[in-house]
Amino acid sequence: MNAEKSVGADFWTEAYALIDTMEKGIAVGEDQSAPASAATLPETSNWDDVLGSAHKLCDWLDQHTIA
């Protein structure tokens, strides 16, 4: 991102926010997933921070291509 000179830093703000969210989830240091029997993720799960943000970042990058 820093090497791309055709757009300014403001262009990347949302991407950096998603990366920060992923890093926050990873910083926990361990997988805090839901038990196999859980229907939804518990409040303490870090899956949404890590995997959810990674998915959103992929979508964002698809929508904001730079030629």
Side-chain angles (χ1 to χ4, degrees):
M1 290 188 243
N2 293 330
E4 181 58 52
K5 303 299 182 199
S6 67
V7 293
D10 290 343
F11 177 82
W12 299 107
T13 301
E14 189 174 348
Y16 277 118
L18 291 167
I19 292 168
D20 288 345
T21 302
M22 285 186 281
E23 288 176 345
K24 182 184 89 177
I26 292 169
V28 171
E30 63 184 40
D31 182 358
Q32 296 181 336
S33 63
S37 61
T40 61
L41 294 176
E43 284 288 318
T44 59
S45 174
N46 59 340
W47 280 18
D48 191 46
D49 286 343
V50 178
L51 301 176
S53 293
H55 181 73
K56 289 176 187 175
L57 180 60
C58 287
D59 289 344
W60 187 92
L61 290 169
D62 284 342
Q63 295 169 5
H64 297 85
T65 58
I66 298 175

